[in-house]
mmCIF file of all heavy atoms in Angstrom:
data_model
loop_
_atom_site.group_PDB
_atom_site.id
_atom_site.type_symbol
_atom_site.label_atom_id
_atom_site.label_comp_id
_atom_site.label_asym_id
_atom_site.label_seq_id
_atom_site.Cartn_x
_atom_site.Cartn_y
_atom_site.Cartn_z
ATOM 1 N N HIS I 251 -12.888 13.222 17.188
ATOM 2 C CA HIS I 251 -13.852 13.055 16.082
ATOM 3 C C HIS I 251 -14.842 14.175 16.116
ATOM 4 O O HIS I 251 -15.955 14.003 16.555
ATOM 5 C CB HIS I 251 -14.496 11.684 16.199
ATOM 6 C CG HIS I 251 -15.229 11.243 14.962
ATOM 7 N ND1 HIS I 251 -15.616 9.984 14.747
ATOM 8 C CD2 HIS I 251 -15.687 11.941 13.919
ATOM 9 C CE1 HIS I 251 -16.242 9.879 13.584
ATOM 10 N NE2 HIS I 251 -16.335 11.060 13.095
ATOM 11 N N ALA I 252 -14.373 15.381 15.769
ATOM 12 C CA ALA I 252 -15.136 16.588 16.002
ATOM 13 C C ALA I 252 -16.235 16.836 14.980
ATOM 14 O O ALA I 252 -17.162 17.560 15.216
ATOM 15 C CB ALA I 252 -14.153 17.773 16.019
ATOM 16 N N SER I 253 -16.129 16.176 13.833
ATOM 17 C CA SER I 253 -17.173 16.395 12.783
ATOM 18 C C SER I 253 -17.462 15.105 12.097
ATOM 19 O O SER I 253 -16.772 14.094 12.340
ATOM 20 C CB SER I 253 -16.675 17.434 11.757
ATOM 21 O OG SER I 253 -15.787 16.808 10.851
ATOM 22 N N LEU I 254 -18.446 15.103 11.221
ATOM 23 C CA LEU I 254 -18.861 13.894 10.556
ATOM 24 C C LEU I 254 -17.926 13.495 9.425
ATOM 25 O O LEU I 254 -18.097 12.455 8.782
ATOM 26 C CB LEU I 254 -20.276 14.078 9.966
ATOM 27 C CG LEU I 254 -21.401 14.012 11.021
ATOM 28 C CD1 LEU I 254 -22.730 14.409 10.378
ATOM 29 C CD2 LEU I 254 -21.512 12.645 11.660
ATOM 30 N N THR I 255 -16.876 14.293 9.155
ATOM 31 C CA THR I 255 -15.984 13.970 8.076
ATOM 32 C C THR I 255 -14.532 14.009 8.525
ATOM 33 O O THR I 255 -13.627 13.769 7.685
ATOM 34 C CB THR I 255 -16.158 14.990 6.907
ATOM 35 O OG1 THR I 255 -15.872 16.302 7.429
ATOM 36 C CG2 THR I 255 -17.533 14.928 6.341
ATOM 37 N N LEU I 256 -14.260 14.209 9.817
ATOM 38 C CA LEU I 256 -12.880 14.315 10.260
ATOM 39 C C LEU I 256 -12.654 13.660 11.590
ATOM 40 O O LEU I 256 -13.381 13.918 12.523
ATOM 41 C CB LEU I 256 -12.463 15.782 10.322
ATOM 42 C CG LEU I 256 -11.047 16.078 10.908
ATOM 43 C CD1 LEU I 256 -9.968 15.494 10.026
ATOM 44 C CD2 LEU I 256 -10.856 17.562 11.064
ATOM 45 N N SER I 257 -11.597 12.779 11.619
ATOM 46 C CA SER I 257 -11.182 12.238 12.890
ATOM 47 C C SER I 257 -9.628 12.392 12.877
ATOM 48 O O SER I 257 -9.021 12.261 11.845
ATOM 49 C CB SER I 257 -11.558 10.780 13.019
ATOM 50 O OG SER I 257 -11.015 10.188 14.226
ATOM 51 N N THR I 258 -9.089 12.676 14.061
ATOM 52 C CA THR I 258 -7.619 12.754 14.131
ATOM 53 C C THR I 258 -7.083 11.848 15.230
ATOM 54 O O THR I 258 -7.765 11.546 16.246
ATOM 55 C CB THR I 258 -7.174 14.233 14.500
ATOM 56 O OG1 THR I 258 -7.737 14.598 15.748
ATOM 57 C CG2 THR I 258 -7.620 15.210 13.402
ATOM 58 N N LEU I 259 -5.902 11.323 14.954
ATOM 59 C CA LEU I 259 -5.192 10.508 15.923
ATOM 60 C C LEU I 259 -3.846 11.217 16.206
ATOM 61 O O LEU I 259 -3.118 11.464 15.287
ATOM 62 C CB LEU I 259 -4.921 9.121 15.331
ATOM 63 C CG LEU I 259 -3.900 8.229 16.048
ATOM 64 C CD1 LEU I 259 -4.458 7.816 17.411
ATOM 65 C CD2 LEU I 259 -3.502 6.981 15.224
ATOM 66 N N THR I 260 -3.610 11.472 17.464
ATOM 67 C CA THR I 260 -2.366 12.109 17.848
ATOM 68 C C THR I 260 -1.539 11.095 18.692
ATOM 69 O O THR I 260 -2.046 10.618 19.727
ATOM 70 C CB THR I 260 -2.580 13.385 18.675
ATOM 71 O OG1 THR I 260 -3.371 14.336 17.934
ATOM 72 C CG2 THR I 260 -1.268 14.035 19.021
ATOM 73 N N VAL I 261 -0.357 10.804 18.206
ATOM 74 C CA VAL I 261 0.537 9.955 18.960
ATOM 75 C C VAL I 261 1.420 10.855 19.774
ATOM 76 O O VAL I 261 2.207 11.638 19.266
ATOM 77 C CB VAL I 261 1.399 9.063 17.978
ATOM 78 C CG1 VAL I 261 2.305 8.167 18.788
ATOM 79 C CG2 VAL I 261 0.539 8.293 17.011
ATOM 80 N N THR I 262 1.251 10.805 21.060
ATOM 81 C CA THR I 262 1.987 11.719 21.979
ATOM 82 C C THR I 262 3.232 11.059 22.471
ATOM 83 O O THR I 262 3.321 9.811 22.658
ATOM 84 C CB THR I 262 1.102 12.116 23.181
ATOM 85 O OG1 THR I 262 0.769 10.934 23.931
ATOM 86 C CG2 THR I 262 -0.211 12.790 22.684
ATOM 87 N N SER I 263 4.248 11.870 22.744
ATOM 88 C CA SER I 263 5.493 11.403 23.252
ATOM 89 C C SER I 263 5.934 10.148 22.517
ATOM 90 O O SER I 263 6.102 9.062 23.159
ATOM 91 C CB SER I 263 5.422 11.182 24.755
ATOM 92 O OG SER I 263 6.678 10.888 25.300
ATOM 93 N N ALA I 264 6.090 10.237 21.252
ATOM 94 C CA ALA I 264 6.371 9.065 20.398
ATOM 95 C C ALA I 264 7.691 8.378 20.741
ATOM 96 O O ALA I 264 8.671 9.028 21.115
ATOM 97 C CB ALA I 264 6.353 9.490 18.952
ATOM 98 N N HIS I 265 7.663 7.047 20.677
ATOM 99 C CA HIS I 265 8.869 6.236 20.867
ATOM 100 C C HIS I 265 9.089 5.391 19.622
ATOM 101 O O HIS I 265 8.151 5.145 18.835
ATOM 102 C CB HIS I 265 8.723 5.340 22.114
ATOM 103 C CG HIS I 265 8.696 6.076 23.370
ATOM 104 N ND1 HIS I 265 9.885 6.485 23.988
ATOM 105 C CD2 HIS I 265 7.669 6.521 24.161
ATOM 106 C CE1 HIS I 265 9.579 7.135 25.125
ATOM 107 N NE2 HIS I 265 8.279 7.203 25.242
ATOM 108 N N PRO I 266 10.327 4.915 19.459
ATOM 109 C CA PRO I 266 10.593 4.094 18.244
ATOM 110 C C PRO I 266 9.607 2.901 18.119
ATOM 111 O O PRO I 266 9.245 2.523 17.010
ATOM 112 C CB PRO I 266 12.005 3.611 18.509
ATOM 113 C CG PRO I 266 12.645 4.717 19.228
ATOM 114 C CD PRO I 266 11.566 5.241 20.143
ATOM 115 N N GLU I 267 9.119 2.305 19.248
ATOM 116 C CA GLU I 267 8.212 1.175 19.124
ATOM 117 C C GLU I 267 6.828 1.571 18.620
ATOM 118 O O GLU I 267 6.024 0.741 18.312
ATOM 119 C CB GLU I 267 8.070 0.449 20.501
ATOM 120 C CG GLU I 267 7.667 1.347 21.652
ATOM 121 C CD GLU I 267 8.857 1.864 22.418
ATOM 122 O OE1 GLU I 267 9.974 2.066 21.838
ATOM 123 O OE2 GLU I 267 8.685 2.024 23.652
ATOM 124 N N ASP I 268 6.586 2.924 18.504
ATOM 125 C CA ASP I 268 5.345 3.372 17.955
ATOM 126 C C ASP I 268 5.439 3.422 16.402
ATOM 127 O O ASP I 268 4.409 3.635 15.723
ATOM 128 C CB ASP I 268 4.998 4.818 18.486
ATOM 129 C CG ASP I 268 4.780 4.835 19.972
ATOM 130 O OD1 ASP I 268 4.236 3.850 20.498
ATOM 131 O OD2 ASP I 268 5.134 5.853 20.590
ATOM 132 N N SER I 269 6.562 3.186 15.899
ATOM 133 C CA SER I 269 6.730 3.155 14.427
ATOM 134 C C SER I 269 5.852 2.053 13.868
ATOM 135 O O SER I 269 5.974 0.913 14.217
ATOM 136 C CB SER I 269 8.192 2.928 14.050
ATOM 137 O OG SER I 269 9.006 3.959 14.536
ATOM 138 N N SER I 270 4.993 2.403 12.936
ATOM 139 C CA SER I 270 4.029 1.460 12.385
ATOM 140 C C SER I 270 3.285 2.101 11.224
ATOM 141 O O SER I 270 3.509 3.267 10.888
ATOM 142 C CB SER I 270 3.077 1.012 13.504
ATOM 143 O OG SER I 270 2.259 -0.025 13.034
ATOM 144 N N PHE I 271 2.392 1.341 10.666
ATOM 145 C CA PHE I 271 1.476 1.779 9.609
ATOM 146 C C PHE I 271 0.163 2.015 10.272
ATOM 147 O O PHE I 271 -0.461 1.065 10.779
ATOM 148 C CB PHE I 271 1.433 0.691 8.541
ATOM 149 C CG PHE I 271 0.755 1.090 7.249
ATOM 150 C CD1 PHE I 271 0.939 2.371 6.709
ATOM 151 C CD2 PHE I 271 -0.099 0.246 6.553
ATOM 152 C CE1 PHE I 271 0.300 2.751 5.497
ATOM 153 C CE2 PHE I 271 -0.705 0.586 5.383
ATOM 154 C CZ PHE I 271 -0.493 1.852 4.831
ATOM 155 N N TYR I 272 -0.332 3.240 10.299
ATOM 156 C CA TYR I 272 -1.581 3.603 10.938
ATOM 157 C C TYR I 272 -2.629 3.834 9.878
ATOM 158 O O TYR I 272 -2.379 4.607 8.913
ATOM 159 C CB TYR I 272 -1.451 4.846 11.798
ATOM 160 C CG TYR I 272 -0.594 4.605 13.039
ATOM 161 C CD1 TYR I 272 0.842 4.705 12.978
ATOM 162 C CD2 TYR I 272 -1.150 4.187 14.246
ATOM 163 C CE1 TYR I 272 1.594 4.472 14.106
ATOM 164 C CE2 TYR I 272 -0.373 3.973 15.367
ATOM 165 C CZ TYR I 272 1.032 4.098 15.267
ATOM 166 O OH TYR I 272 1.776 3.869 16.372
ATOM 167 N N ILE I 273 -3.744 3.145 9.975
ATOM 168 C CA ILE I 273 -4.797 3.215 8.955
ATOM 169 C C ILE I 273 -6.134 3.534 9.613
ATOM 170 O O ILE I 273 -6.469 2.974 10.646
ATOM 171 C CB ILE I 273 -4.953 1.876 8.212
ATOM 172 C CG1 ILE I 273 -3.583 1.243 7.863
ATOM 173 C CG2 ILE I 273 -5.769 2.065 6.934
ATOM 174 C CD1 ILE I 273 -3.688 -0.161 7.288
ATOM 175 N N CYS I 274 -6.835 4.480 9.003
ATOM 176 C CA CYS I 274 -8.192 4.752 9.535
ATOM 177 C C CYS I 274 -9.193 4.183 8.535
ATOM 178 O O CYS I 274 -8.909 3.896 7.367
ATOM 179 C CB CYS I 274 -8.398 6.269 9.670
ATOM 180 S SG CYS I 274 -8.583 7.143 8.100
ATOM 181 N N SER I 275 -10.388 3.983 9.039
ATOM 182 C CA SER I 275 -11.511 3.585 8.166
ATOM 183 C C SER I 275 -12.741 4.320 8.628
ATOM 184 O O SER I 275 -12.833 4.783 9.772
ATOM 185 C CB SER I 275 -11.721 2.063 8.200
ATOM 186 O OG SER I 275 -12.222 1.651 9.440
ATOM 187 N N ALA I 276 -13.720 4.374 7.755
ATOM 188 C CA ALA I 276 -14.937 5.114 8.046
ATOM 189 C C ALA I 276 -16.114 4.376 7.551
ATOM 190 O O ALA I 276 -16.055 3.687 6.508
ATOM 191 C CB ALA I 276 -14.897 6.516 7.470
ATOM 192 N N ARG I 277 -17.229 4.538 8.292
ATOM 193 C CA ARG I 277 -18.473 3.889 7.868
ATOM 194 C C ARG I 277 -19.437 4.973 7.437
ATOM 195 O O ARG I 277 -19.632 5.944 8.188
ATOM 196 C CB ARG I 277 -19.045 3.078 9.048
ATOM 197 C CG ARG I 277 -20.320 2.327 8.760
ATOM 198 C CD ARG I 277 -20.713 1.485 9.928
ATOM 199 N NE ARG I 277 -19.846 0.329 10.095
ATOM 200 C CZ ARG I 277 -19.684 -0.360 11.195
ATOM 201 N NH1 ARG I 277 -20.314 0.040 12.289
ATOM 202 N NH2 ARG I 277 -18.933 -1.387 11.240
ATOM 203 N N ASP I 278 -20.056 4.789 6.312
ATOM 204 C CA ASP I 278 -20.962 5.767 5.761
ATOM 205 C C ASP I 278 -22.226 5.862 6.606
ATOM 206 O O ASP I 278 -22.895 4.840 6.845
ATOM 207 C CB ASP I 278 -21.307 5.403 4.319
ATOM 208 C CG ASP I 278 -22.102 6.484 3.582
ATOM 209 O OD1 ASP I 278 -22.625 7.394 4.233
ATOM 210 O OD2 ASP I 278 -22.211 6.353 2.317
ATOM 211 N N ARG I 279 -22.557 7.030 7.035
ATOM 212 C CA ARG I 279 -23.755 7.222 7.846
ATOM 213 C C ARG I 279 -25.006 6.763 7.157
ATOM 214 O O ARG I 279 -25.936 6.275 7.761
ATOM 215 C CB ARG I 279 -23.838 8.720 8.153
ATOM 216 C CG ARG I 279 -25.034 9.190 8.992
ATOM 217 C CD ARG I 279 -25.054 10.687 9.069
ATOM 218 N NE ARG I 279 -26.014 11.173 10.049
ATOM 219 C CZ ARG I 279 -26.295 12.444 10.186
ATOM 220 N NH1 ARG I 279 -25.762 13.354 9.436
ATOM 221 N NH2 ARG I 279 -27.168 12.827 11.092
#
Side-chain angles (χ1 to χ4, degrees):
Chain I
H251 192 163
S253 78
L254 286 171
T255 59
L256 173 64
S257 177
T258 59
L259 167 68
T260 302
V261 182
T262 63
S263 187
H265 289 280
E267 55 265 32
D268 297 326
S269 300
S270 187
F271 191 41
Y272 291 86
I273 316 172
C274 73
S275 70
R277 181 175 288 159
D278 189 346
R279 179 188 192 186

